[in-house]
Amino acid sequence: MDTIARHVSDKCGRAASVRRVHCRREAAGTEHAVLRRLLGTSMPAHQVRYATHSLVRGLLAHGPVVLSIGDAQWCDEGTLRFIDHLIRATSRGGAAQSLTVLLHLPPGLPGPATAALHELATRDYCTVVDTAGLWPADAARPTPRSADELAQNEPRLLRVAQAAALLRSTDPDLVGALAGFPSKVTARFLADAEARGLLFGRTRDHGAPALLDALPEATRERMRAQAAEILNDAAEPAERVADLLLGLTTLDRSWMRAVLKEAAAAARHDRPAAAVACLERLHAADPDDVTVRMDLAAVLVDIDPAAAREHLTGALSRTDDPLVRSHAAGLLLLTSLMVHGSPDGPEALDALVRELSPGRPGGAPTPAAPAAPAAPATPTIPTAPATAVVPVAPVPPVFTGHPAEHVVLAARALRTALTATGRETALSGARQVLWSERPPSAWARVAAAQVLALADDTATALDQLQRTVADSAEREEVWAEGHASSARALVLIESGQASEAAAAALAASRISEGEGAAGKSRLASIALALALVARADLDRAQQVLLRLDSHRLDDCVWEYHHRLTALALVERDRGRPEQALSLLERCGASLAAAGVHSPVFTTWWVHSTDLLMRLGRTGAAAERAEFGRQLAGRWPTARSTGLSLLARGMAAAGPADRVELLTESVRVLADSSDRHFHALAELRLGRTLLHQSDIGGARPRLRTALATAVRCGLTAVAEQARCALRSAEGRDRSAPAVLSHAERPVAELAAAGKSNRAIADALCLTVRTVEYHLTNVYRKLDVPGRTGLAKRFPPQEPHSSSPSARALGELR
């Protein structure tokens, strides 16, 4: 007070006259009680006003005046209105800067201050000062222990804190409108509440009372509706208003529904989970609103397609509008594919494309389209006749931004890839989906990525699938995240990255299990089983496969056929080739019936070629390899070509043909994305060379197979490569045994230091023949020349009868 008086004196140039008075709680309702205490009299109201005015005028004539009124929350309304009049009157007289009125309020305003006090605080000529900085540094601000204590001692502070908590805002205008106080007064309350830890979520953290929990349910409902209306009138974003409306038990005003619809539309692409919350609230308020059902189904497609199907079915039962029914039918086909409610093979993709294609009421706008090229002939699978599927014309689409466009593009590209009727067409459609400006649905992105993987662009496919996983997780699209993770795990195992595939499959399983029993991804479990087989963990692989729910699995192209392949590989590695071959034949026949002719889908024909050779059915193996060659011709990629060469090399009759085909297979597969079959091709070639006693040629192939298998976590291939290398090393140590009867004596004489002419004369051979034999000896024994031979053929005792001597005698 003294500081303010000195400030007034310095500003006005003369000493200020200070008058102090404190208000009393018991006199708060008595008119002009504070004026009477200021004058020290009990005169009537009209007299006390005149006397006070005269007193102030007289004091101002001699210098500046400071009126200090303490505990102003108890000041009566008549005094406050007189002070307002007095300030305005002195202002007109030019002495406004000489009169200073101080209204002291304790922190928190612990009392029912009158409306006149709040009105006075909002005047342009009044200044509200926060004295929190004057609070002693070592003194703790009083913090109430409960909301009841706040309600009893500081009711207006409590009301402001509750309004701020409900609005999630510290804007004095908004909070004041809800609390019923002027904005200047509200600003002071907010500052005090902030200092005392009474705002937002920090109330619980700081031990302050749960402000909103203290409100009765009816009061909270009323304040929530009022807060939503205030925000809506203030043109705040619809999503912010919707957060309040979602907590209401009834939506009894039309603007509330309009705001929820606006909020759902705004959040649909970036925050679909928030859009679902708004639309579900609208659906609960009016279950017969078909528009809301359709909007809700469209947003739920990537979050919970099973729930989306229910809403689509409900919409179809409640409307006869052809446009709505057509759109619902298209989405219903899509969600049926997603939850395996219908087969997901080429025929189902055809139906989806036809339903959403340009020209349909619910489809995309009609683009210009050239004539489609004829599809190549389909090779016949030896185990079952192929069922013809009429292909959809591979039309290069024109982007128009229609919601159904990406689904059509992705479905057409995937169908083309599965049927192997146009690699470039499939790739073009898939890339348009993935690189479009408008973000496509997760199903469309995953389908497009699967096309890239089938076309041997695995790196891009994995990158897109990982992005889809991350985007879906951020958008809280649970189904989409699990679906993309499962597809990524399968692509990893198909590219031979067994260790990473196992980790990805486990992650995908955890994601899908979070959806509940209906949302579990069987594809993730199958990918995990395939990874375990590659890592030689057959027991765990079989357990994973046996735990799978096989109900209606035969309608799922991806799950059913990859599961059959996984079961066959388990049987093969357990030493049961007949059972394994039977499972692979079922897989091939089922794929043919479904119209799937991709040479790299499950690669069942490569495995069955291997099994047929093991069983001695060389003719059938050659036919199966030729079938694979025809498939690869329909879908020419490095992977498909390399697999075809591998199968033909395994089934080749002559050793020379076998080596030539396997060598070419290794070269081609090295340029593909498939590390698994590349390692297998190196292993096959190494074994073949080893069988032909070409240890020098076999060893680097086996080492490459081992290194690739270890790097990719392919334990089964790595173990086979180690065994083959040990065999090569063992045969290398007994190297003379790998030489022919004609080569052995030549090698021994050369090791003894004889010249080529001396060896030729001794063995009755030409020098050219000796040179030919020595070339083969050096290659088979992997030695550079005669010095190496001397180490392999130590000198014999003079009278010993060595095998080579006997051979020499036999030749003579």
Side-chain angles (χ1 to χ4, degrees):
M1 177 64 196
D2 294 336
T3 302
I4 296 175
R6 284 196 300 272
H7 172 73
V8 173
S9 299
D10 293 341
K11 192 170 184 180
C12 297
R14 289 184 293 174
S17 175
V18 179
R19 293 297 180 95
R20 295 181 177 87
V21 63
H22 279 77
C23 305
R24 296 175 179 173
R25 184 173 184 174
E26 60 272 14
T30 303
E31 190 78 358
H32 299 105
V34 176
L35 289 182
R36 291 187 180 94
R37 295 193 67 239
L38 183 64
L39 295 174
T41 180
S42 59
M43 62 181 63
H46 67 283
Q47 294 179 357
V48 75
R49 288 170 60 90
Y50 176 76
T52 304
H53 191 274
S54 299
L55 172 65
V56 173
R57 278 292 193 181
L59 292 173
L60 287 172
H62 297 87
V65 177
V66 177
L67 295 180
S68 174
I69 301 175
D71 290 332
Q73 74 274 15
W74 306 120
C75 187
D76 62 89
E77 191 168 343
T79 298
L80 291 170
R81 297 193 185 282
F82 172 76
I83 290 173
D84 187 15
H85 167 75
L86 182 63
I87 294 174
R88 286 186 279 110
T90 54
S91 175
R92 288 193 297 270
Q97 293 184 350
S98 300
L99 175 62
T100 302
V101 180
L102 301 178
L103 301 176
H104 297 274
L105 295 170
L109 189 60
T114 62
L117 178 63
H118 300 309
E119 292 175 7
L120 182 61
T122 62
R123 303 299 188 195
D124 294 337
Y125 45 77
C126 291
T127 302
V128 177
V129 178
D130 185 4
T131 59
L134 304 178
W135 198 270
D138 57 348
R141 300 295 297 273
T143 300
R145 290 185 297 273
S146 67
D148 291 339
E149 185 178 338
L150 270 175
Q152 181 179 357
N153 298 325
E154 303 177 88
R156 281 166 174 68
L157 178 63
L158 173 62
R159 186 171 180 83
V160 169
Q162 288 172 333
L166 200 58
L167 289 166
R168 306 294 296 177
S169 171
T170 55
D171 186 329
D173 293 330
L174 297 177
V175 176
L178 182 58
F181 301 136
S183 60
K184 288 188 177 180
V185 176
T186 302
R188 186 170 63 82
F189 290 163
L190 287 169
D192 192 22
E194 172 74 18
R196 299 168 70 176
L198 297 176
L199 296 183
F200 306 153
R202 290 174 294 172
T203 56
R204 297 183 185 276
D205 299 336
H206 291 182
L211 302 178
L212 295 178
D213 293 346
L215 289 171
E217 185 63 33
T219 303
R220 187 160 57 244
E221 177 89 358
R222 177 179 53 78
M223 286 186 65
R224 192 180 297 276
Q226 186 180 357
E229 187 169 9
I230 289 170
L231 292 179
N232 189 49
D233 291 343
E236 291 292 321
E239 298 96 314
R240 188 177 175 190
V241 183
D243 288 340
L244 290 167
L245 295 177
L246 290 174
L248 298 178
T249 56
T250 57
L251 302 176
D252 53 358
R253 302 177 66 177
S254 59
W255 68 266
M256 295 179 175
R257 293 184 174 85
V259 167
L260 285 175
K261 289 182 179 180
E262 182 182 349
R268 178 168 181 172
H269 296 294
D270 298 325
R271 297 187 302 119
V276 168
C278 295
L279 292 169
E280 284 182 339
R281 184 66 187 86
L282 288 168
H283 173 63
D286 185 4
D288 293 326
D289 190 331
V290 175
T291 302
V292 170
R293 274 185 176 269
M294 289 297 299
D295 291 341
L296 182 54
V299 181
L300 280 172
V301 164
D302 284 331
I303 297 176
D304 187 352
R309 287 188 71 198
E310 294 181 6
H311 288 293
L312 291 168
T313 303
L316 286 171
S317 66
R318 287 171 170 82
T319 183
D320 293 326
D321 188 325
L323 291 176
V324 175
R325 292 185 65 85
S326 177
H327 183 48
L331 280 179
L332 197 58
L333 281 175
L334 176 61
T335 53
S336 295
L337 288 177
M338 295 166 72
V339 300
H340 307 303
S342 63
D344 59 355
E347 287 188 3
L349 294 172
D350 278 348
L352 181 62
V353 170
R354 286 194 298 269
E355 188 65 38
L356 297 179
S357 283
R360 298 282 297 179
T366 305
T378 302
T380 303
I381 294 180
T383 54
T387 302
V389 178
V390 179
V392 175
V395 179
V398 178
F399 271 97
T400 62
H402 192 277
E405 189 172 56
H406 292 118
V407 175
V408 172
L409 274 173
R412 180 184 286 116
L414 185 58
R415 185 222 175 273
T416 303
L418 290 176
T419 57
T421 53
R423 177 175 175 271
E424 293 304 320
T425 300
L427 278 173
S428 175
R431 287 168 178 161
Q432 287 186 72
V433 171
L434 294 173
W435 278 275
S436 63
E437 294 182 2
R438 180 190 178 99
S441 68
W443 183 90
R445 281 184 288 176
V446 171
Q450 288 172 327
V451 171
L452 295 183
L454 292 172
D456 212 14
D457 191 358
T458 302
T460 306
L462 289 173
D463 178 65
Q464 291 295 328
L465 288 171
Q466 184 58 41
R467 290 186 183 185
T468 304
V469 172
D471 292 346
S472 300
E474 182 179 355
R475 291 156 56 90
E476 300 180 54
E477 294 175 335
V478 183
W479 179 89
E481 184 184 0
H483 179 56
S485 297
S486 302
R488 181 173 178 271
L490 189 61
V491 173
L492 284 169
I493 191 60
E494 288 177 339
S495 64
Q497 303 176 58
S499 298
E500 191 174 350
L506 287 172
S509 296
R510 286 193 294 269
I511 294 169
S512 63
E513 286 172 2
E515 303 175 45
K520 289 184 179 179
S521 174
R522 294 172 293 194
L523 192 60
S525 298
I526 294 168
L528 176 60
L530 287 167
L532 292 172
V533 170
R535 297 174 66 178
D537 194 346
L538 301 181
D539 291 337
R540 284 186 61 199
Q542 192 164 31
Q543 290 173 7
V544 171
L545 292 171
L546 291 176
R547 284 198 303 266
L548 282 175
D549 178 13
S550 59
H551 178 63
R552 291 184 64 96
L553 199 63
D554 54 345
D555 284 339
C556 310
V557 166
W558 295 86
E559 285 86 346
Y560 178 66
H561 299 98
H562 283 96
R563 178 174 177 268
L564 283 178
T565 303
L567 288 170
L569 296 181
V570 170
E571 293 294 320
R572 180 199 66 185
D573 292 350
R574 288 195 183 281
R576 296 192 283 265
E578 291 283 1
Q579 292 87 332
L581 182 61
S582 175
L583 288 167
L584 291 173
E585 298 291 349
R586 281 175 55 192
C587 179
S590 177
L591 286 172
V596 177
H597 307 297
S598 169
V600 293
F601 190 87
T602 75
T603 61
W604 67 274
W605 52 275
V606 182
H607 298 299
S608 64
T609 302
D610 176 34
L611 289 170
L612 287 168
M613 289 298 294
R614 292 190 191 187
L615 295 170
R617 296 165 57 182
T618 55
E623 291 179 4
R624 186 58 46 82
E626 174 60 21
F627 169 75
R629 188 188 66 77
Q630 295 179 42
L631 287 180
R634 295 166 56 95
W635 190 257
T637 66
R639 186 179 182 219
S640 64
T641 303
L643 292 177
S644 171
L645 289 166
L646 174 60
R648 290 160 59 198
M650 290 188 294
D657 292 340
R658 190 176 302 122
V659 170
E660 180 182 357
L661 289 168
L662 290 176
T663 301
E664 184 64 9
S665 171
V666 166
R667 185 190 68 79
V668 174
L669 285 173
D671 294 331
S672 77
S673 61
D674 196 333
R675 297 302 89 204
H676 190 183
F677 274 107
H678 176 231
L680 277 175
E682 292 277 15
L683 176 63
R684 284 282 181 178
L685 179 56
R687 282 178 165 177
T688 301
L689 292 172
L690 188 61
H691 182 71
Q692 296 180 14
S693 301
D694 187 356
I695 300 176
R699 187 182 292 110
R701 298 299 185 180
L702 296 174
R703 287 172 179 167
T704 302
L706 177 60
T708 302
V710 170
R711 185 171 61 251
C712 297
L714 303 168
T715 308
V717 178
E719 185 57 34
Q720 294 178 57
R722 287 192 187 95
C723 291
L725 277 171
R726 285 195 295 268
S727 176
E729 291 169 0
R731 295 178 65 178
D732 197 21
R733 286 191 293 269
S734 59
V738 305
L739 301 180
S740 68
H741 288 292
E743 293 166 349
R744 194 185 315 275
V746 173
E748 285 191 357
L749 292 174
K754 301 293 185 181
S755 66
N756 289 355
R757 170 58 65 183
I759 296 172
D761 293 339
L763 300 179
C764 298
L765 301 173
T766 65
V767 175
R768 188 176 184 85
T769 301
V770 171
E771 291 173 350
Y772 174 80
H773 287 323
L774 280 177
T775 300
N776 289 334
V777 168
Y778 295 153
R779 179 177 58 81
K780 290 183 179 182
L781 302 185
D782 194 22
V783 295
R786 280 176 163 77
T787 303
L789 287 177
K791 297 178 181 180
R792 299 297 184 92
F793 295 89
Q796 302 290 326
E797 293 295 329
H799 301 292
S800 66
S801 178
S802 65
S804 58
R806 289 195 300 271
L808 182 60
E810 291 169 1
L811 286 172
R812 289 177 179 173

